[in-house]
Amino acid sequence: MIRIALRMLIGDRMKYIGLVAGLAFAALLITQQGSIFAGYTLRSGSWIRDTAQADLWIMDPQVSFTEDRKAMLDSSLLRVRGIEGIEWAVPMYKAYVQCRLQDGTRVIVRLVGIDDATLTGGPPLMLEGTLDALKQDRGVLVDGIDVDDGLRLDHASDAEGPRALRVGDRLDINEHETVVVGIYGRTTEFFWDPVIYTTYSRALRMAPPERKQLTFVLAKVKRGFDAQEVAARITASTGLRADTSDQFEQRSMDYILSKTGILVNFGITIGLGFVIGVLISGQLLYNFILENQRAFAAMKAMGADNWMLLRMVFAQVLLAAFVGFGIGVGVAAASGAVFEGTKLAFMMAWQVPVFGGLAILVCSLLAALISIQRVLRLEPAIVFKG
Amino acid sequence: MSSVAIERALAVRCRALTKTYGAGVNAVQALRGIDLDVLQGEMSLLVGPSGCGKTTLISLIAGILDRSGGECEVLGQDLARLGDRERAAWRGRNVGFVFQALNLVPTLTAAENVAIPLMILGARYDAALLRAGAMLERVGLGGRERSLPGSLSGGQQQRIAIARALVHEPRLVVCDEPTSALDHETGHKVMELLREVAAREDRALIVVTHDARIFSFADRIAHMDDGHVDRIETPTRS
């Protein structure tokens, strides 16, 4: 009877297409928005993942995310280096500063100062020049990926049109003249302000004077030591927070989700997709049942019990859900491919289609529940009414 | 009753059968004490004016309504003793239906429509379709297995409905106004077909009808009025 049920549904082309389209639309909304949400939340940890050399991030206990500057005393670095299990520890400066390009454009940038001696904590990829070039006088590295977000010269010269910064260009950071000595590449982040790398000592010279200036300490754990145990030892000894990269990424992501409303916004869209799916598929399935109620009643008269009819309705709705989900996820994935390389964050992790599939399953089962009442209440005696 | 009829086994035995819809002041008594015997191997007609209780009576006999009082044994089974699922299974095994509105599924082929009772009984799709094809052949619709009901004439649709009622070899066939939507000639052919294909020594046919043109096909006719069987006649067939 399952095959008969499916033939009944597929044969009614308009209802079938409507039902599949409703569920496909819901699947598209849920998985596409879910993927964009996943993409954005993943971006909140991009900078941490790009700074891959460190096992531990040591910071003030009040720091909530990557851009939260609550500086520590410089002596904190030495205290961390003294902890058992630390192989090396280097300082890092990070703060928002003012930057003026040579054509006069002013931009707020994130200035990152990395260890002068080892250059640990630098960008993951050099597009032009080398990391060592930072050792040149007044040298800075600028982002070569996201040039549209500020670090571009709109009026470089009369002969040239707008262009990205090049090696050799000059820029003022907090009234300190610097020279671009390299162009780096990075993973797109949740935060959009450009990041400029320089050495730690140069960053401190350019930064506004403060008593505390050390933003992070990056540390490597000796082989044979457990990172969590070493982190706990650092906290016990210094009072500072020591996170593994994963912990810091999770903390940053949690903070962004709790403070930005991004979760609520995407949640509403995904919820709307779910509601639309239930309403459209419920309405169409209900109409389908209504139009076929005499056929179902005739089957009841001919010996089909409620359980058999329930299985038929579930089979119909599950077929529509399966096809609709496939189409919806396919279109969502295709849209992801179309937007690849743009600023749109799109990350279809395996959890997204799994969640989307479960949502569509629940959606279709709810739609079936609405309609099933009609089938269960059907009196087979109505078949004798003309 | 003829002597031949007396020798035949009883397919249906109703005594003082009553059916009341609703309760209290809204109660409507549809059947007011029906006494009726239907014999196997016979075609019995239930005739009477609209609202006289014909449809209620066949609904009770076919086991799709509960009686309010009296007795009713169908094929030796008191249906009131069966639960809903058992009764549905009993109907599936023993009763074939030809509905007035036919109730064919428009999106299924003729063979699939006919195969439904077999699949309700658990037959596999392919096997059921094979038997349905053979049944369609018997009712003169060989070669139309894959046709949709909408592409067939009224008479052909009626044949599909008859094939569906008989495909699982039921011992009781209940037909509700099988000729009401057909012209005289087609109606006549349908009744001939019913008599030819459905009539069997161990099978009873009950036909509800207004159509006096088909009275001659009956072995016995129960005339109903206002919830009673007024009289039973056994016409002499030409």
Side-chain angles (χ1 to χ4, degrees), chain A residues 150-186:
Chain A
L151 290 183
R152 57 184 281 133
L153 294 168
D154 289 329
H155 313 289
S157 68
D158 292 340
E160 286 180 300
R163 65 165 175 84
L165 290 185
R166 295 180 193 142
V167 171
D169 284 337
R170 294 171 187 282
L171 33 113
D172 286 348
I173 298 174
N174 274 355
E175 308 297 327
H176 291 77
E177 189 184 69
T178 62
V179 180
V180 176
V181 293
I183 310 289
Y184 72 87
R186 63 178 168 94

mmCIF file of all heavy atoms in Angstrom, chain A residues 150-186:
data_model
loop_
_atom_site.group_PDB
_atom_site.id
_atom_site.type_symbol
_atom_site.label_atom_id
_atom_site.label_comp_id
_atom_site.label_asym_id
_atom_site.label_seq_id
_atom_site.Cartn_x
_atom_site.Cartn_y
_atom_site.Cartn_z
ATOM 1 N N GLY A 150 39.165 49.154 3.558
ATOM 2 C CA GLY A 150 39.811 50.350 4.086
ATOM 3 C C GLY A 150 41.195 50.593 3.566
ATOM 4 O O GLY A 150 41.548 51.716 3.240
ATOM 5 N N LEU A 151 42.019 49.572 3.486
ATOM 6 C CA LEU A 151 43.411 49.804 3.126
ATOM 7 C C LEU A 151 43.575 49.826 1.613
ATOM 8 O O LEU A 151 44.218 48.973 1.032
ATOM 9 C CB LEU A 151 44.307 48.741 3.766
ATOM 10 C CG LEU A 151 44.441 48.876 5.281
ATOM 11 C CD1 LEU A 151 45.400 47.838 5.827
ATOM 12 C CD2 LEU A 151 44.929 50.272 5.660
ATOM 13 N N ARG A 152 42.970 50.800 1.011
ATOM 14 C CA ARG A 152 43.153 51.003 -0.415
ATOM 15 C C ARG A 152 43.291 52.497 -0.658
ATOM 16 O O ARG A 152 42.697 53.328 0.041
ATOM 17 C CB ARG A 152 41.996 50.438 -1.237
ATOM 18 C CG ARG A 152 40.649 51.004 -0.870
ATOM 19 C CD ARG A 152 39.530 50.335 -1.636
ATOM 20 N NE ARG A 152 39.413 50.843 -2.990
ATOM 21 C CZ ARG A 152 39.300 50.065 -4.061
ATOM 22 N NH1 ARG A 152 39.302 48.755 -3.920
ATOM 23 N NH2 ARG A 152 39.176 50.603 -5.255
ATOM 24 N N LEU A 153 44.103 52.796 -1.624
ATOM 25 C CA LEU A 153 44.321 54.202 -1.941
ATOM 26 C C LEU A 153 43.368 54.584 -3.058
ATOM 27 O O LEU A 153 43.447 54.060 -4.175
ATOM 28 C CB LEU A 153 45.778 54.403 -2.385
ATOM 29 C CG LEU A 153 46.828 54.159 -1.299
ATOM 30 C CD1 LEU A 153 48.223 54.097 -1.920
ATOM 31 C CD2 LEU A 153 46.770 55.264 -0.253
ATOM 32 N N ASP A 154 42.465 55.488 -2.728
ATOM 33 C CA ASP A 154 41.514 55.919 -3.757
ATOM 34 C C ASP A 154 42.108 57.004 -4.654
ATOM 35 O O ASP A 154 41.688 57.175 -5.785
ATOM 36 C CB ASP A 154 40.228 56.424 -3.092
ATOM 37 C CG ASP A 154 39.449 55.273 -2.485
ATOM 38 O OD1 ASP A 154 39.523 54.149 -3.042
ATOM 39 O OD2 ASP A 154 38.806 55.474 -1.439
ATOM 40 N N HIS A 155 43.071 57.730 -4.116
ATOM 41 C CA HIS A 155 43.674 58.806 -4.895
ATOM 42 C C HIS A 155 45.191 58.711 -4.784
ATOM 43 O O HIS A 155 45.854 59.621 -4.278
ATOM 44 C CB HIS A 155 43.209 60.174 -4.368
ATOM 45 C CG HIS A 155 41.742 60.240 -4.138
ATOM 46 N ND1 HIS A 155 40.829 60.262 -5.164
ATOM 47 C CD2 HIS A 155 41.002 60.246 -2.996
ATOM 48 C CE1 HIS A 155 39.608 60.300 -4.660
ATOM 49 N NE2 HIS A 155 39.688 60.285 -3.347
ATOM 50 N N ALA A 156 45.764 57.574 -5.227
ATOM 51 C CA ALA A 156 47.204 57.367 -5.081
ATOM 52 C C ALA A 156 47.987 58.416 -5.878
ATOM 53 O O ALA A 156 48.944 59.010 -5.381
ATOM 54 C CB ALA A 156 47.568 55.963 -5.543
ATOM 55 N N SER A 157 47.583 58.633 -7.095
ATOM 56 C CA SER A 157 48.213 59.673 -7.912
ATOM 57 C C SER A 157 47.252 60.018 -9.039
ATOM 58 O O SER A 157 46.256 59.332 -9.242
ATOM 59 C CB SER A 157 49.540 59.178 -8.486
ATOM 60 O OG SER A 157 49.287 58.160 -9.434
ATOM 61 N N ASP A 158 47.578 61.055 -9.765
ATOM 62 C CA ASP A 158 46.707 61.448 -10.869
ATOM 63 C C ASP A 158 46.685 60.390 -11.956
ATOM 64 O O ASP A 158 45.684 60.190 -12.636
ATOM 65 C CB ASP A 158 47.170 62.785 -11.462
ATOM 66 C CG ASP A 158 46.940 63.919 -10.469
ATOM 67 O OD1 ASP A 158 46.105 63.708 -9.560
ATOM 68 O OD2 ASP A 158 47.585 64.971 -10.612
ATOM 69 N N ALA A 159 47.819 59.700 -12.102
ATOM 70 C CA ALA A 159 47.934 58.720 -13.186
ATOM 71 C C ALA A 159 47.203 57.413 -12.871
ATOM 72 O O ALA A 159 46.788 56.707 -13.778
ATOM 73 C CB ALA A 159 49.404 58.436 -13.462
ATOM 74 N N GLU A 160 47.081 57.107 -11.595
ATOM 75 C CA GLU A 160 46.516 55.812 -11.201
ATOM 76 C C GLU A 160 45.087 55.955 -10.700
ATOM 77 O O GLU A 160 44.711 56.978 -10.148
ATOM 78 C CB GLU A 160 47.343 55.214 -10.065
ATOM 79 C CG GLU A 160 48.685 54.665 -10.486
ATOM 80 C CD GLU A 160 49.421 54.104 -9.288
ATOM 81 O OE1 GLU A 160 49.677 54.891 -8.350
ATOM 82 O OE2 GLU A 160 49.708 52.894 -9.279
ATOM 83 N N GLY A 161 44.345 54.925 -10.883
ATOM 84 C CA GLY A 161 43.015 54.861 -10.266
ATOM 85 C C GLY A 161 43.168 54.299 -8.859
ATOM 86 O O GLY A 161 44.280 54.174 -8.360
ATOM 87 N N PRO A 162 42.058 53.985 -8.224
ATOM 88 C CA PRO A 162 42.118 53.376 -6.889
ATOM 89 C C PRO A 162 42.902 52.067 -6.941
ATOM 90 O O PRO A 162 42.790 51.318 -7.903
ATOM 91 C CB PRO A 162 40.644 53.107 -6.561
ATOM 92 C CG PRO A 162 39.878 54.013 -7.462
ATOM 93 C CD PRO A 162 40.684 54.156 -8.695
ATOM 94 N N ARG A 163 43.695 51.818 -5.900
ATOM 95 C CA ARG A 163 44.473 50.578 -5.878
ATOM 96 C C ARG A 163 44.750 50.149 -4.446
ATOM 97 O O ARG A 163 44.644 50.945 -3.506
ATOM 98 C CB ARG A 163 45.783 50.742 -6.641
ATOM 99 C CG ARG A 163 46.753 51.738 -6.005
ATOM 100 C CD ARG A 163 48.161 51.590 -6.594
ATOM 101 N NE ARG A 163 49.090 52.596 -6.092
ATOM 102 C CZ ARG A 163 49.757 52.504 -4.950
ATOM 103 N NH1 ARG A 163 49.564 51.458 -4.137
ATOM 104 N NH2 ARG A 163 50.598 53.469 -4.587
ATOM 105 N N ALA A 164 45.086 48.868 -4.308
ATOM 106 C CA ALA A 164 45.454 48.349 -2.992
ATOM 107 C C ALA A 164 46.841 48.837 -2.621
ATOM 108 O O ALA A 164 47.605 49.282 -3.489
ATOM 109 C CB ALA A 164 45.440 46.824 -3.034
ATOM 110 N N LEU A 165 47.138 48.770 -1.312
ATOM 111 C CA LEU A 165 48.483 49.172 -0.872
ATOM 112 C C LEU A 165 49.518 48.214 -1.450
ATOM 113 O O LEU A 165 49.235 47.038 -1.673
ATOM 114 C CB LEU A 165 48.561 49.136 0.657
ATOM 115 C CG LEU A 165 47.769 50.197 1.425
ATOM 116 C CD1 LEU A 165 48.056 50.075 2.919
ATOM 117 C CD2 LEU A 165 48.137 51.599 0.944
ATOM 118 N N ARG A 166 50.712 48.758 -1.696
ATOM 119 C CA ARG A 166 51.816 47.950 -2.206
ATOM 120 C C ARG A 166 52.993 48.065 -1.255
ATOM 121 O O ARG A 166 53.058 49.010 -0.429
ATOM 122 C CB ARG A 166 52.281 48.487 -3.564
ATOM 123 C CG ARG A 166 51.298 48.384 -4.664
ATOM 124 C CD ARG A 166 51.948 48.972 -5.918
ATOM 125 N NE ARG A 166 50.966 49.186 -6.964
ATOM 126 C CZ ARG A 166 50.978 50.218 -7.785
ATOM 127 N NH1 ARG A 166 51.894 51.145 -7.672
ATOM 128 N NH2 ARG A 166 50.062 50.329 -8.726
ATOM 129 N N VAL A 167 53.946 47.179 -1.435
ATOM 130 C CA VAL A 167 55.187 47.294 -0.675
ATOM 131 C C VAL A 167 55.833 48.635 -1.049
ATOM 132 O O VAL A 167 55.911 48.973 -2.235
ATOM 133 C CB VAL A 167 56.136 46.114 -0.998
ATOM 134 C CG1 VAL A 167 57.525 46.356 -0.382
ATOM 135 C CG2 VAL A 167 55.542 44.812 -0.483
ATOM 136 N N GLY A 168 56.241 49.362 -0.029
ATOM 137 C CA GLY A 168 56.860 50.666 -0.261
ATOM 138 C C GLY A 168 55.932 51.824 0.032
ATOM 139 O O GLY A 168 56.383 52.956 0.236
ATOM 140 N N ASP A 169 54.616 51.564 0.066
ATOM 141 C CA ASP A 169 53.673 52.632 0.426
ATOM 142 C C ASP A 169 53.891 53.026 1.884
ATOM 143 O O ASP A 169 54.328 52.224 2.702
ATOM 144 C CB ASP A 169 52.222 52.160 0.233
ATOM 145 C CG ASP A 169 51.818 52.144 -1.237
ATOM 146 O OD1 ASP A 169 52.444 52.868 -2.027
ATOM 147 O OD2 ASP A 169 50.895 51.376 -1.592
ATOM 148 N N ARG A 170 53.545 54.243 2.167
ATOM 149 C CA ARG A 170 53.728 54.739 3.538
ATOM 150 C C ARG A 170 52.372 54.973 4.176
ATOM 151 O O ARG A 170 51.408 55.321 3.505
ATOM 152 C CB ARG A 170 54.514 56.053 3.531
ATOM 153 C CG ARG A 170 55.928 55.851 3.044
ATOM 154 C CD ARG A 170 56.692 57.138 2.800
ATOM 155 N NE ARG A 170 57.968 56.838 2.176
ATOM 156 C CZ ARG A 170 59.020 56.372 2.841
ATOM 157 N NH1 ARG A 170 58.949 56.179 4.150
ATOM 158 N NH2 ARG A 170 60.141 56.107 2.217
ATOM 159 N N LEU A 171 52.321 54.774 5.472
ATOM 160 C CA LEU A 171 51.118 55.143 6.217
ATOM 161 C C LEU A 171 51.495 55.585 7.614
ATOM 162 O O LEU A 171 52.493 55.134 8.164
ATOM 163 C CB LEU A 171 50.115 53.984 6.262
ATOM 164 C CG LEU A 171 50.567 52.546 6.300
ATOM 165 C CD1 LEU A 171 50.196 51.933 7.623
ATOM 166 C CD2 LEU A 171 49.831 51.801 5.196
ATOM 167 N N ASP A 172 50.666 56.471 8.135
ATOM 168 C CA ASP A 172 50.902 56.973 9.502
ATOM 169 C C ASP A 172 49.994 56.245 10.471
ATOM 170 O O ASP A 172 48.776 56.186 10.259
ATOM 171 C CB ASP A 172 50.574 58.476 9.581
ATOM 172 C CG ASP A 172 51.643 59.317 8.899
ATOM 173 O OD1 ASP A 172 52.714 58.740 8.583
ATOM 174 O OD2 ASP A 172 51.393 60.508 8.661
ATOM 175 N N ILE A 173 50.602 55.691 11.501
ATOM 176 C CA ILE A 173 49.802 55.049 12.550
ATOM 177 C C ILE A 173 50.020 55.848 13.823
ATOM 178 O O ILE A 173 51.156 55.915 14.330
ATOM 179 C CB ILE A 173 50.209 53.575 12.749
ATOM 180 C CG1 ILE A 173 49.948 52.795 11.445
ATOM 181 C CG2 ILE A 173 49.448 52.934 13.911
ATOM 182 C CD1 ILE A 173 50.436 51.367 11.470
ATOM 183 N N ASN A 174 48.947 56.450 14.296
ATOM 184 C CA ASN A 174 49.051 57.339 15.470
ATOM 185 C C ASN A 174 50.200 58.337 15.304
ATOM 186 O O ASN A 174 51.044 58.496 16.194
ATOM 187 C CB ASN A 174 49.253 56.515 16.753
ATOM 188 C CG ASN A 174 47.918 56.079 17.336
ATOM 189 O OD1 ASN A 174 46.849 56.456 16.844
ATOM 190 N ND2 ASN A 174 47.968 55.265 18.381
ATOM 191 N N GLU A 175 50.250 58.943 14.137
ATOM 192 C CA GLU A 175 51.262 59.959 13.824
ATOM 193 C C GLU A 175 52.663 59.391 13.700
ATOM 194 O O GLU A 175 53.638 60.150 13.678
ATOM 195 C CB GLU A 175 51.270 61.094 14.890
ATOM 196 C CG GLU A 175 49.914 61.717 15.162
ATOM 197 C CD GLU A 175 49.321 62.410 13.934
ATOM 198 O OE1 GLU A 175 50.088 62.956 13.132
ATOM 199 O OE2 GLU A 175 48.085 62.368 13.774
ATOM 200 N N HIS A 176 52.815 58.094 13.642
ATOM 201 C CA HIS A 176 54.130 57.490 13.418
ATOM 202 C C HIS A 176 54.184 56.989 11.989
ATOM 203 O O HIS A 176 53.333 56.198 11.586
ATOM 204 C CB HIS A 176 54.380 56.327 14.384
ATOM 205 C CG HIS A 176 54.551 56.761 15.805
ATOM 206 N ND1 HIS A 176 53.483 57.123 16.607
ATOM 207 C CD2 HIS A 176 55.676 56.925 16.564
ATOM 208 C CE1 HIS A 176 53.929 57.465 17.806
ATOM 209 N NE2 HIS A 176 55.260 57.354 17.811
ATOM 210 N N GLU A 177 55.202 57.469 11.257
ATOM 211 C CA GLU A 177 55.270 57.032 9.864
ATOM 212 C C GLU A 177 55.791 55.590 9.788
ATOM 213 O O GLU A 177 56.739 55.224 10.466
ATOM 214 C CB GLU A 177 56.208 57.948 9.079
ATOM 215 C CG GLU A 177 56.141 57.664 7.595
ATOM 216 C CD GLU A 177 57.134 58.488 6.795
ATOM 217 O OE1 GLU A 177 58.350 58.242 6.928
ATOM 218 O OE2 GLU A 177 56.690 59.372 6.049
ATOM 219 N N THR A 178 55.118 54.808 8.956
ATOM 220 C CA THR A 178 55.545 53.418 8.765
ATOM 221 C C THR A 178 55.620 53.143 7.264
ATOM 222 O O THR A 178 55.063 53.893 6.458
ATOM 223 C CB THR A 178 54.566 52.422 9.401
ATOM 224 O OG1 THR A 178 53.297 52.565 8.750
ATOM 225 C CG2 THR A 178 54.407 52.633 10.890
ATOM 226 N N VAL A 179 56.248 52.016 6.922
ATOM 227 C CA VAL A 179 56.396 51.636 5.514
ATOM 228 C C VAL A 179 55.887 50.204 5.343
ATOM 229 O O VAL A 179 56.184 49.331 6.169
ATOM 230 C CB VAL A 179 57.878 51.696 5.097
ATOM 231 C CG1 VAL A 179 58.035 51.309 3.616
ATOM 232 C CG2 VAL A 179 58.450 53.074 5.344
ATOM 233 N N VAL A 180 55.110 50.024 4.293
ATOM 234 C CA VAL A 180 54.631 48.672 4.017
ATOM 235 C C VAL A 180 55.806 47.848 3.489
ATOM 236 O O VAL A 180 56.398 48.187 2.460
ATOM 237 C CB VAL A 180 53.478 48.690 2.988
ATOM 238 C CG1 VAL A 180 53.045 47.258 2.642
ATOM 239 C CG2 VAL A 180 52.291 49.489 3.514
ATOM 240 N N VAL A 181 56.140 46.760 4.227
ATOM 241 C CA VAL A 181 57.277 45.924 3.816
ATOM 242 C C VAL A 181 56.802 44.543 3.345
ATOM 243 O O VAL A 181 57.597 43.718 2.909
ATOM 244 C CB VAL A 181 58.300 45.760 4.963
ATOM 245 C CG1 VAL A 181 58.957 47.082 5.270
ATOM 246 C CG2 VAL A 181 57.646 45.165 6.202
ATOM 247 N N GLY A 182 55.523 44.303 3.468
ATOM 248 C CA GLY A 182 55.002 42.994 3.010
ATOM 249 C C GLY A 182 53.490 43.001 2.980
ATOM 250 O O GLY A 182 52.835 43.791 3.667
ATOM 251 N N ILE A 183 52.963 42.153 2.127
ATOM 252 C CA ILE A 183 51.503 41.992 2.035
ATOM 253 C C ILE A 183 51.201 40.553 2.471
ATOM 254 O O ILE A 183 51.825 39.613 1.971
ATOM 255 C CB ILE A 183 50.989 42.183 0.590
ATOM 256 C CG1 ILE A 183 51.531 43.488 -0.024
ATOM 257 C CG2 ILE A 183 49.462 42.128 0.544
ATOM 258 C CD1 ILE A 183 50.977 44.763 0.527
ATOM 259 N N TYR A 184 50.268 40.432 3.378
ATOM 260 C CA TYR A 184 49.981 39.083 3.886
ATOM 261 C C TYR A 184 48.546 38.670 3.517
ATOM 262 O O TYR A 184 47.710 39.505 3.158
ATOM 263 C CB TYR A 184 50.189 38.998 5.401
ATOM 264 C CG TYR A 184 49.133 39.718 6.205
ATOM 265 C CD1 TYR A 184 47.950 39.059 6.572
ATOM 266 C CD2 TYR A 184 49.292 41.033 6.592
ATOM 267 C CE1 TYR A 184 46.972 39.708 7.297
ATOM 268 C CE2 TYR A 184 48.310 41.691 7.316
ATOM 269 C CZ TYR A 184 47.147 41.024 7.671
ATOM 270 O OH TYR A 184 46.176 41.664 8.375
ATOM 271 N N GLY A 185 48.312 37.382 3.618
ATOM 272 C CA GLY A 185 46.962 36.855 3.420
ATOM 273 C C GLY A 185 46.459 36.222 4.695
ATOM 274 O O GLY A 185 47.251 35.804 5.546
ATOM 275 N N ARG A 186 45.153 36.205 4.866
ATOM 276 C CA ARG A 186 44.585 35.636 6.095
ATOM 277 C C ARG A 186 43.186 35.108 5.805
ATOM 278 O O ARG A 186 42.624 35.373 4.734
ATOM 279 C CB ARG A 186 44.517 36.690 7.200
ATOM 280 C CG ARG A 186 43.583 37.852 6.852
ATOM 281 C CD ARG A 186 43.507 38.855 7.981
ATOM 282 N NE ARG A 186 42.852 40.092 7.563
ATOM 283 C CZ ARG A 186 41.545 40.346 7.718
ATOM 284 N NH1 ARG A 186 40.748 39.435 8.251
ATOM 285 N NH2 ARG A 186 41.047 41.494 7.329
#
